[in-house]
Amino acid sequence: MVTIKKQLFIALILSPLFTIAQKYSSAQIKHFKQEAAAVTIIRDNWGIPHIYGKTDADVVFGLMYTQCEDNFKGIERNYLYQMGRQSEVDGKKKLYTDVQLQLIADTADAIKDYKAAAPWFRKLMDVFADGVNYYLYKHPEVKPAVFQHFEPWYALMFTDGSVSATVTGGINLNETQTFYGDTSEKLGAVYKPAVDDRETGSNGFAIAPSRSASGHAMLYINPHVPFYFRSEVQLVSEEGLNVYGAVTWGQFFVYQGFNPHCGWMHTSSNADVGDLYAEKVMKKDGQWYYEYDGKQKPVTTRKLVMNIKNEAGVEHKTITGFYTQHGPVLASRDGKWLALKANNRSYNALLESWLITRANTFAEYKKAMSLLSNATNNTVYADDQGNIAFWYGNFMPKRNPAYDWRLPVDGSTPATEWQGLHNVDEIVHVYNPANGWIQNCNSTPFASSGRYSPDKNKYPAYMAPDGQNFRAVNAIKLLSDIKNLTLDELIDKGYNHYLAAFDVLLPPLYKAYDTAPDSVKQSLARPVKSMREWDKYSAINSTPTTLAVEWGTLLLRKLPGAKTEEEGTYQTERIDTLIQTLTAKEQLDIFAEAVNNLKTRYGSWKIKWGDINRYQRPADGITFNDDAPSLPVGGVSSAFGQLPSFQSRTMNTKKRYGYSGNSFIAAVEFGTRIKAKTIITGGQSFNPASKHYTDQAGMYIEGKFKDVLFYKADVLKHAEKTYHPGE
């Protein structure tokens, strides 16, 4: 099944990991300098770059230069992932992630799209590359791990700014490794779903003028991603661009943010946008064929070239990738190959991401969305005309509703082919609901606006297959009775520390305890009393928070594995089912285990949450140390229904340290002038010696946002450094 060629390069000089720095001609250098002279960068008193230029292209050049100043390593890392080349740095452990990515996205397609691009958009890709390359030219001390030079078409390999942007249709990495890593010709093993314990969370709220104190619409932007995943920036050109927000490292568009007229928050979507086709295959005369519409069609192939770092140098491996008309074959199950049909990379996806930043009205925003190419995001929207809106997904194929699209469908029949795309007004949406608010917390859209939410019966099942979670339950409770809401009050609601999951988890525990034998009651009396007295808000000085998180985590581990990705989103329903299946003894045994775990780890179960739950930003980003300075944090994981998220764990340490959750957060009011406040994890700089490395850390923990300097006059008053790229 797999064709593999191995060649070991002992001499490191032959490795792409050790190529010499790119040399530029005098003409190229002159061109770089001309581009740089057209850009002015003003770093404000938080280190945030405000980038000004005559043209949009000028600003993109400046954006990429400042991104490199702040975090070139993060940019390169993102492109190593998107282009399936992580194993060139990380070795064999990333090989099959690379195989998946190379199967899914072909660089040849990106190059073709670049050459066919509209001239004005191709120019943006040109300056995207120029900005990075000029930085590398001006900073020879920076040693890229792989990419000594960036090409304009690289931008077309990374067209979605989401943290979970690659759709695999539910194929996990082990399945791809089994299929492509085994030289035996297996047609497919029995499928066993893997457990996925990733944090998946983001919150978006839109508030109508009727509910705000100012009479203006407001937007709350709260993604949950790995810390430091995006930067904060403003882009301003004389061609009409004026956008502020978060940019994913290595991209040239603001992913979540606002302009003078409208704003957008993307939450990761569970809309079904990628399908697996079960292909009936056979081999004849050395060639693989698959059945389609009663005929045998040849499986096509493409050589995937992998350069895998190892102790001796670099191992060169060529793997044959297989394709049907539906897409790349990623795995096999139950005797059939599984081909993925999705929209993971496209020219229109990048174009749409750019155009929404320039939209000035609701109609213009919808027109940009009409490219129908954003595959992994929901959108919560607000504008200065008082509109609020929500779209569940964007790229949404039309399908035959007779099939269950959560599972692989028959690839041999035309009946399972996609039938075009749903337009913007056909996908699940809410426009200006009468209740005056919208929420989405990666949850069902059918509860996004209270009783004014979309009617589930009006949409096909594949369009919004996910269920409810405790964050959304909490959000609905907080928003349902709002009146005269101010921007600061919106922030307070977004930072609400109530753990809604324990509304469901605690009553069965109390019932089990109340009917337990006296010997059990005696051993657990004080811990249970502590929980009964708890208000279910996490806090730095809260002992019950520590016990609740330990116990709740053990309970969540008892959840049976979800059979599909969609089933995994039904958090409230799955936990209800779990609680009903646990006996009283099991309830108390799990709680006792939590108590004993804390005693073993810390000497007592009575530990204040902030004593063990900490924020620390190590110089290398990974080496946490209990003896080094850190800050106490009252927040917990969003898994328990808390709206702000602080995902933490031990890092070869006794204490827990945060690594994912709240990142760039913004609250925006759309009046005649923009009023906005933001906060980011730690600080803007990646230099431990900079005052902007952790200058926002305390504010981030407490939910105290800084004022956005949106207008140039305000930026100049708080300017810390003004320069052109290269100076």
Side-chain angles (χ1 to χ4, degrees):
M1 174 177 293
V2 182
T3 302
I4 300 176
K5 297 178 181 178
K6 295 183 179 179
Q7 184 176 1
L8 189 63
F9 293 92
I10 302 299
L12 298 184
I13 193 66
L14 296 180
S15 166
L17 304 174
F18 298 93
T19 51
I20 60 173
Q22 175 75 27
K23 300 296 184 182
Y24 295 100
S25 69
S26 57
Q28 287 175 307
I29 295 168
K30 181 180 179 181
H31 180 64
F32 287 158
K33 290 181 177 179
Q34 288 173 339
E35 290 176 309
V39 181
T40 299
I41 301 164
I42 304 176
R43 296 267 185 177
D44 67 21
N45 55 318
W46 297 102
I48 297 163
H50 302 255
I51 303 165
Y52 301 90
K54 185 175 182 179
T55 67
D56 289 0
D58 295 337
V59 172
V60 169
F61 179 93
L63 169 63
M64 299 314 301
Y65 191 92
T66 60
Q67 282 194 47
C68 291
E69 285 182 311
D70 289 339
N71 187 20
F72 174 77
K73 182 179 179 181
I75 295 171
E76 186 175 32
R77 271 285 167 188
N78 280 344
Y79 280 95
L80 287 170
Y81 170 79
Q82 294 296 147
M83 296 171 71
R85 297 179 63 177
Q86 291 181 102
S87 53
E88 296 182 30
V89 175
D90 299 325
K92 192 174 182 179
K93 65 183 179 182
K94 292 296 177 71
L95 174 59
Y96 289 97
T97 302
D98 287 349
V99 169
Q100 267 196 357
L101 269 294
Q102 287 200 27
L103 284 165
I104 287 170
D106 189 350
T107 57
D109 293 332
I111 294 170
K112 188 184 303 181
D113 284 345
Y114 167 75
K115 291 179 178 178
W120 71 268
F121 200 54
R122 189 164 60 244
K123 174 64 175 176
L124 296 186
M125 289 183 271
D126 290 340
V127 295
F128 147 83
D130 286 351
V132 177
N133 292 329
Y134 185 49
Y135 172 82
L136 292 176
Y137 164 73
K138 293 294 292 185
H139 295 83
E141 73 281 3
V142 174
K143 306 299 181 185
V146 172
F147 298 118
Q148 308 293 330
H149 175 82
F150 272 59
E151 295 290 343
W153 56 264
Y154 283 12
L156 285 160
M157 293 297 292
F158 191 14
T159 58
D160 186 327
S162 173
V163 70
S164 54
T166 304
V167 175
T168 65
I171 294 292
N172 64 58
L173 201 58
N174 289 335
E175 291 182 283
T176 299
Q177 181 171 351
T178 298
F179 186 84
Y180 282 103
D182 191 338
T183 54
S184 63
E185 292 185 353
K186 293 194 297 185
L187 287 179
V190 175
Y191 173 55
K192 295 180 180 179
V195 176
D196 187 352
D197 60 355
R198 294 175 302 167
E199 180 194 26
T200 54
S202 288
N203 308 323
F205 308 149
I207 309 299
S210 62
R211 294 284 187 166
S212 73
S214 65
H216 302 305
M218 297 191 294
L219 181 69
Y220 190 72
I221 297 170
N222 179 203
H224 298 166
V225 296
F227 290 172
Y228 324 114
F229 187 72
R230 299 189 180 101
S231 65
E232 185 171 347
V233 67
Q234 183 179 19
L235 311 177
V236 185
S237 82
E238 294 178 21
E239 292 181 334
L241 179 69
N242 186 2
V243 59
Y244 192 108
V247 176
T248 305
W249 297 112
Q251 295 184 319
F252 64 78
F253 57 87
V254 169
Y255 173 68
Q256 291 157 326
F258 54 94
N259 62 36
H261 302 288
C262 62
W264 55 97
M265 165 59 192
H266 292 315
T267 59
S268 294
S269 181
N270 292 303
D272 187 353
V273 295
D275 293 315
L276 295 176
Y277 287 79
E279 311 284 19
K280 300 175 184 177
V281 295
M282 62 167 290
K283 197 171 188 181
K284 180 180 179 181
D285 299 329
Q287 166 71 49
W288 285 99
Y289 294 86
Y290 65 99
E291 181 182 326
Y292 184 75
D293 198 19
K295 302 181 180 65
Q296 296 296 322
K297 303 185 71 171
V299 172
T300 58
T301 62
R302 182 166 69 89
K303 300 297 183 183
L304 311 179
V305 178
M306 322 301 295
N307 298 299
I308 309 155
K309 183 181 179 181
N310 60 26
E311 293 180 359
V314 175
E315 177 186 353
H316 174 73
K317 178 180 288 190
T318 301
I319 295 176
T320 300
F322 298 105
Y323 295 78
T324 72
Q325 69 184 50
H326 298 118
V329 176
L330 296 186
S332 60
R333 294 178 191 165
D334 307 326
K336 295 178 182 178
W337 288 8
L338 297 181
L340 172 70
K341 188 166 187 176
N343 183 40
N344 277 302
R345 184 219 66 81
S346 74
Y347 173 84
N348 276 350
L350 185 62
L351 180 61
E352 181 177 336
S353 295
W354 175 259
L355 290 177
I356 64 172
T357 70
R358 299 187 104 268
N360 290 322
T361 65
F362 185 49
E364 289 178 8
Y365 197 93
K366 284 181 66 177
K367 182 178 179 181
M369 286 190 69
S370 294
L371 287 171
L372 304 175
S373 295
N374 189 328
T376 68
N377 295 297
N378 307 318
T379 303
V380 181
Y381 169 95
D383 68 27
D384 63 351
Q385 298 301 306
N387 295 299
I388 62 172
F390 170 62
W391 294 271
Y392 189 84
N394 178 238
F395 172 84
M396 179 53 62
K398 293 181 180 179
R399 305 165 171 101
N400 185 335
Y403 290 87
D404 185 351
W405 293 93
R406 297 171 299 176
L407 302 172
V409 294
D410 185 357
S412 67
T413 172
T416 58
E417 296 296 342
W418 289 355
Q419 301 159 11
L421 297 176
H422 290 281
N423 67 43
V424 170
D425 291 324
E426 289 176 344
I427 62 177
V428 183
H429 66 274
V430 178
Y431 300 153
N432 296 318
N435 63 311
W437 56 265
I438 293 169
Q439 66 78 30
N440 182 254
C441 301
N442 312 105
S443 47
T444 173
F446 304 119
S448 56
S449 301
R451 64 190 181 95
Y452 298 98
S453 301
D455 182 353
K456 186 175 184 177
N457 296 318
K458 293 182 178 179
Y459 298 93
Y462 61 75
M463 197 172 276
D466 51 344
Q468 188 62 294
N469 63 44
F470 287 109
R471 276 184 294 119
V473 170
N474 198 14
I476 292 167
K477 180 180 178 182
L478 290 168
L479 295 176
S480 290
D481 60 352
I482 56 172
K483 295 178 182 178
N484 299 317
L485 193 70
T486 67
L487 197 64
D488 287 336
E489 288 170 341
L490 177 59
I491 292 170
D492 288 343
K493 290 187 181 297
Y495 253 72
N496 183 278
H497 278 206
Y498 191 74
L499 306 186
F502 290 98
D503 287 337
V504 175
L505 297 177
L506 282 169
L509 174 69
Y510 299 153
K511 183 178 180 181
Y513 176 82
D514 290 341
T515 59
D518 288 344
S519 58
V520 174
K521 285 185 177 180
Q522 185 175 1
S523 65
L524 295 177
R526 289 185 178 179
V528 170
K529 182 175 184 291
S530 176
M531 299 307 293
R532 287 188 193 272
E533 294 173 349
W534 182 42
D535 61 5
K536 300 175 197 161
Y537 284 85
S538 71
I540 288 171
N541 293 318
S542 169
T543 298
T545 298
T546 307
L547 183 53
V549 170
E550 183 71 24
W551 169 58
T553 301
L554 293 176
L555 275 174
L556 293 181
R557 289 175 183 167
K558 300 291 183 181
L559 282 171
K563 296 177 182 178
T564 64
E565 288 184 332
E566 291 82 3
E567 182 182 312
T569 67
Y570 283 75
Q571 186 195 34
T572 56
E573 184 176 308
R574 293 176 71 212
I575 287 180
D576 281 340
T577 301
L578 171 67
I579 293 301
Q580 292 170 16
T581 60
L582 292 175
T583 65
K585 183 179 183 304
E586 288 172 329
Q587 284 272 9
L588 293 173
D589 285 347
I590 295 169
F591 187 71
E593 182 182 352
V595 172
N596 291 329
N597 285 350
L598 292 174
K599 288 179 179 178
T600 300
R601 201 176 305 138
Y602 303 110
S604 170
W605 64 267
K606 293 183 286 186
I607 301 294
K608 293 180 180 179
W609 181 236
D611 289 349
I612 62 170
N613 190 53
R614 314 290 291 186
Y615 172 84
Q616 189 178 87
R617 191 175 185 183
D620 64 358
I622 56 175
T623 308
F624 293 85
N625 185 347
D626 286 341
D627 296 325
S630 62
L631 297 172
V633 179
V636 306
S637 163
S638 63
F640 299 112
Q642 183 172 277
L643 290 172
S645 179
F646 188 83
Q647 189 91 343
S648 67
R649 60 178 173 84
T650 56
M651 306 277 187
N652 296 316
T653 55
K654 197 171 183 179
K655 297 176 183 177
R656 306 166 61 113
Y657 294 94
Y659 62 92
S660 182
N662 278 10
S663 53
F664 167 84
I665 314 172
V668 192
E669 183 176 285
F670 294 94
T672 53
R673 286 174 61 87
I674 285 289
K675 180 181 179 182
K677 297 186 176 186
T678 63
I679 199 71
I680 59 172
T681 316
Q684 181 78 14
S685 177
F686 278 69
N687 178 5
S690 169
K691 67 179 181 181
H692 299 309
Y693 192 63
T694 55
D695 58 344
Q696 298 184 54
M699 300 160 62
Y700 164 84
I701 292 167
E702 296 174 10
K704 307 298 183 184
F705 288 28
K706 62 187 184 293
D707 291 328
V708 166
L709 305 173
F710 190 75
Y711 298 96
K712 192 170 184 179
D714 295 323
V715 175
L716 292 171
K717 290 176 185 177
H718 296 84
E720 195 169 83
K721 182 181 179 183
T722 302
Y723 61 104
H724 302 294
E727 292 181 350

